[in-house]
Amino acid sequence: MEWQMETTLCNLCGSAASAPLYQIPDYLLERDGQTTLVQCQECGLIYQTHRPTLAEMGAHYPPEYESYALPPGKQTPRLLKLAYDYGKFKRTRIITRVKGGGHLLDVGCSTGTFLLAMREKPGWQVSGVEISEHAAQIARDDYRLEVFTGTLDEAAFPADTFDAVTLWDVFEHLHDPSGTLHEIHRVLKPGGVLVLRVPNADSWDAKLFGKTWAGLDAPRHLYVFGRKTLQQILEKAQFRVDQWSCEIGSYPTFVLSVRFWMVQQGWKPGPRAQITRWLSHPVVRVLFSPFFYLYGLGLRGPLLIVVATKQ
């Protein structure tokens, strides 16, 4: 299939000077076609200079896209559900440590699993924005969540509406991250907080896996940030960076990178699925957790979380 494509400059500094970094296929959906990632020669931002248009991007997020999965059901093994619930707890704790309550907006909320967890916290009202009609409808119909289908700009919320805005694994998917930050700044109340989680270009996983690192996930990840470029783009949008961490999601991201590597190596689906199931087993995950905790302390984990305040 031929995709509609567009070219773009660096979203951080506006430079057209870039150097090719990787050319990679879609390892997640195992589709043909190559995506070229470049690195800006002025500021170091990694991005797709030749990319699908916003109208075309929906084709790369079909209903089977894994981020649209539903929460574990009653048949889920107990240990796996405990790990899932602990991940939700860690996300909500990041918010409740810096804000005691208020109105939270989750941009790119998918089927609403994080919003569900935040709604259970005393003093919190929640809303979401989701570009996928399929995922947004699940959030509305199954969980009675207030979710707008479309982009943040299209939602056109009044200024100074929210006490907190979150983007979990969303910022790297945006066509205009700088523009989105300015819109978030507008809809946040004075002193409101922004929480982002993005793939960490400075991580050990990025160095180990190279072009099969899950943080690249072409063609969906249009930008890849390190700590320096993320701080620069936040400060340009008038946010003060308060906290950095790599405390959530390191192990599942590592497993996804292993899966991408197996696809790249030409492993057959059966052995790939077997290895992935073994690595995803809760007991194996617990055994590996001290290692991932330690390298997360040096901000070298595969996912980087930043808490910033509206200035």
Side-chain angles (χ1 to χ4, degrees):
M1 178 180 286
E2 289 289 329
W3 307 112
Q4 296 176 24
M5 306 293 280
E6 64 184 13
T7 57
T8 186
L9 304 177
C10 176
N11 194 258
L12 174 53
C13 70
S15 174
S18 64
L21 190 62
Y22 292 121
Q23 194 168 42
I24 51 180
D26 185 342
Y27 290 121
L28 182 69
L29 300 180
E30 300 183 45
R31 291 175 170 178
D32 294 332
Q34 296 286 318
T35 295
T36 300
L37 285 165
V38 302
Q39 187 160 33
C40 177
Q41 296 297 280
E42 297 296 329
C43 68
L45 179 65
I46 298 168
Y47 66 101
Q48 293 181 37
T49 186
H50 189 59
R51 67 193 189 182
T53 63
L54 181 60
E56 194 69 52
M57 283 303 289
H60 300 288
Y61 299 92
E64 63 270 22
Y65 178 60
E66 293 173 19
S67 290
Y68 296 156
L70 297 175
K74 293 180 180 178
Q75 305 306 314
T76 304
R78 184 171 179 273
L79 285 176
L80 189 60
K81 188 173 187 307
L82 283 172
Y84 176 84
D85 289 343
Y86 183 57
K88 286 195 302 180
F89 164 74
K90 287 196 290 186
R91 285 204 217 182
T92 59
R93 184 177 59 183
I94 289 173
I95 308 301
T96 56
R97 280 189 306 208
V98 294
K99 282 286 179 183
H103 194 175
L104 178 140
L105 174 69
D106 190 25
V107 179
C109 66
S110 187
T111 54
T113 54
F114 172 69
L115 289 176
L116 278 173
M118 281 302 301
R119 189 170 65 180
E120 295 172 358
K121 300 296 178 183
W124 284 99
Q125 175 187 353
V126 298
S127 300
V129 170
E130 172 53 49
I131 199 167
S132 164
E133 174 60 41
H134 169 76
Q137 202 63 48
I138 291 172
R140 288 190 292 265
D141 292 349
D142 292 6
Y143 309 123
R144 299 295 182 261
L145 290 165
E146 181 184 302
V147 174
F148 175 85
T149 301
T151 66
L152 177 61
D153 285 340
E154 290 168 344
F157 294 110
D160 302 337
T161 297
F162 301 101
D163 300 277
V165 174
T166 55
L167 293 91
W168 298 105
D169 311 319
V170 169
F171 197 57
E172 64 273 17
H173 295 256
L174 301 175
H175 275 68
D176 181 14
S178 288
T180 298
L181 284 177
H182 283 92
E183 178 63 6
I184 291 170
H185 191 279
R186 187 186 71 81
V187 302
L188 270 175
K189 295 177 182 178
V193 297
L194 166 65
V195 177
L196 294 174
R197 182 172 73 176
V198 296
N200 181 9
D202 302 324
S203 67
W204 293 121
D205 284 40
K207 299 182 188 304
L208 173 65
F209 289 101
K211 67 186 334 184
T212 63
W213 175 48
L216 302 180
D217 193 25
R220 285 160 293 277
H221 290 187
L222 302 177
Y223 297 91
V224 186
F225 294 90
R227 186 174 172 183
K228 178 183 175 183
T229 52
L230 187 55
Q231 178 149 353
Q232 287 175 338
I233 202 168
L234 285 165
E235 289 178 346
K236 281 186 69 174
Q238 299 180 49
F239 284 94
R240 183 191 72 232
V241 175
D242 298 323
Q243 299 174 25
W244 298 98
S245 73
C246 294
E247 62 183 289
I248 308 174
S250 292
Y251 188 72
T253 306
F254 171 80
V255 173
L256 187 57
S257 295
V258 172
R259 181 174 138 195
F260 284 8
W261 177 82
M262 290 189 291
V263 171
Q264 192 260 348
Q265 293 294 309
W267 288 36
K268 292 183 179 179
R272 290 197 328 244
Q274 219 170 15
I275 293 291
T276 302
R277 279 196 299 271
W278 182 81
L279 287 173
S280 301
H281 193 281
V283 173
V284 177
R285 185 170 177 167
V286 168
L287 290 174
F288 276 106
S289 60
F291 170 76
F292 286 93
Y293 173 77
L294 287 172
Y295 83 49
L297 291 178
L299 297 181
R300 294 292 186 173
L303 296 178
L304 188 61
I305 300 167
V306 59
V307 178
T309 302
K310 172 179 175 173
Q311 298 294 284

